[in-house]
Amino acid sequence: METGFFSFLGGNLAEFIGFTGFANVTWGHLIMIVVGLFFIFLAITKHFEPMLLIPIGFGIIVGNIPFFPGLQIGIYEDGSVLNYLYFGVLKGLYPPLIFLGIGAMTDFSALISNPKLMLIGAAAQFGIFGAYMIALALGFSAAEAGAIGIIGGADGPTAIFLSSKLAPDLMGAIAVSAYSYMALVPVIQPPIMKLLTTPKERLIRMRPPRVVSQTEKILFPIIGVLLTCFLVPSGLPLLGMLFFGNLLKESGVTKRLANTASGPLIDIVTILIGLTVGASTQATTFLTVKSVGIFMLGAFSFIIATTAGVLFVKFLNLFLKEGNKINPLIGNAGVSAVPDSARVSQEIGLQYDRTNYLLMHAMGPNVAGVIGSAVAAGILLGFLG
């Protein structure tokens, strides 16, 4: 009798152990958990995009806790809670909501007052198409190459939206790569900016932006959505929500809606998108040669985008009169990491002249980059979708 009891108890104990994470762990799970902890470390100690890296880092840990298959708890298991939350990423629901919030918190005055700054934001999109061509040359399919290239826009929601349509199998790697490079803007961009500019160019003072009227601010999102979406209809989910959010802000009569979109709504969606994107990096599906290639291509894309923005300003200055020239240090802001890349412009500028404030000027190409990356995503989706 006792033998039977202990045998039964031992069998139950063995079954319990078989269901624990300790029995199912692999080196891949441990590597990804370390990556998640590293993201959290960067967010807390270096303040690198903490509102993104902490949800993503914790999501990576959650997604890589080993479990016995079939328990309906994994993000890729139908019916699990994480799978339902991940639905907003898979179907591209979260990115337009984030664009709504971005529009509701963005002031386009710097761009409206100096429209030629839009060209800088457009030039920075060369990073997207440059990485697209490199990815094609490396053997990725056209759809995969398009999804990878969008990393150069330094816009996580756009990267998620496009990859969910073109390359859902690569979405975890693309999203984590895009958000990682967004967080590393203060590390990656300064060396490129200093390398490509001369001491004289870094000291260029730009004219103060003119005062923009309320009427102009109201007309901008209406004209913007008509022009961009007639040109690239496939960008409507992102561009439509971006300009709608901005109209809520600038109309002056929907303050509560604008506050909701730019506050609680975007915060909730950021939590959900960060956690689920992080959890999608399960070692069994994430640690592949393709994922490593995507990270490398993402870096190239980001470097090309920053380089193109700075060099384009230098080119533009060849045609501008003295006094109207643009400081090329704001060229980096053409990537749409708002407002981090604009802050980098300001910080580098102050290193060479403590009285030369570039932030307001840099916000012009910065917000133009948001529009530009969404337009580029629409073009890629229209051709490759």
Side-chain angles (χ1 to χ4, degrees), residues 38-50 53-54:
F38 180 64
F39 275 30
I40 294 173
F41 169 79
L42 289 178
I44 295 174
T45 61
K46 303 296 184 182
H47 299 279
F48 288 169
E49 289 284 355
L53 288 194
I54 286 183

Side-chain angles (χ1 to χ4, degrees), residues 87-111:
F87 183 85
V89 175
L90 282 175
K91 300 301 180 181
L93 300 180
Y94 294 152
L97 294 176
I98 287 183
F99 264 67
L100 175 67
I102 292 172
M105 66 173 64
T106 300
D107 185 353
F108 286 99
S109 296
L111 184 60

Side-chain angles (χ1 to χ4, degrees), residues 281-294:
T281 62
Q282 284 185 4
T284 49
T285 58
F286 184 78
L287 284 179
T288 64
V289 174
K290 274 192 173 182
S291 295
V292 175
I294 288 168

Side-chain angles (χ1 to χ4, degrees), residues 26 36 43 55 88 158 188 201 211 232 236 238 242 252 255 264 272 281 298 301 305 331 343 360 366:
T26 66
T158 303
I188 297 173
E201 288 174 329
V211 177
V232 188
L236 182 60
L238 298 179
L242 175 73
K255 186 176 180 180
L272 293 176
T281 62
S301 180
R343 286 180 185 150
M360 281 306 298
N366 207 186

Side-chain angles (χ1 to χ4, degrees), residues 89-93 95 147 158-168 171:
V89 175
L90 282 175
K91 300 301 180 181
L93 300 180
T158 303
I160 290 172
F161 178 79
L162 189 63
S163 58
S164 71
K165 307 296 182 184
L166 297 181
M171 183 163 45

Side-chain angles (χ1 to χ4, degrees), residues 189-209:
Q189 289 194 322
I192 301 171
M193 296 161 64
K194 293 175 182 179
L195 178 66
L196 298 176
T197 56
T198 65
K200 183 180 178 181
E201 288 174 329
R202 297 171 202 146
L203 297 176
I204 292 176
R205 285 181 173 271
M206 298 174 63
R207 290 184 176 180

Side-chain angles (χ1 to χ4, degrees), residues 25-39 57 60-61 63-66 281-284 286-288 292:
V25 70
T26 66
W27 281 109
H29 290 118
L30 297 177
I31 290 170
M32 292 308 301
I33 288 172
V34 170
V35 171
L37 291 172
F38 180 64
F39 275 30
I60 292 173
I61 295 172
N64 284 281
I65 293 176
T281 62
Q282 284 185 4
T284 49
F286 184 78
L287 284 179
T288 64
V292 175

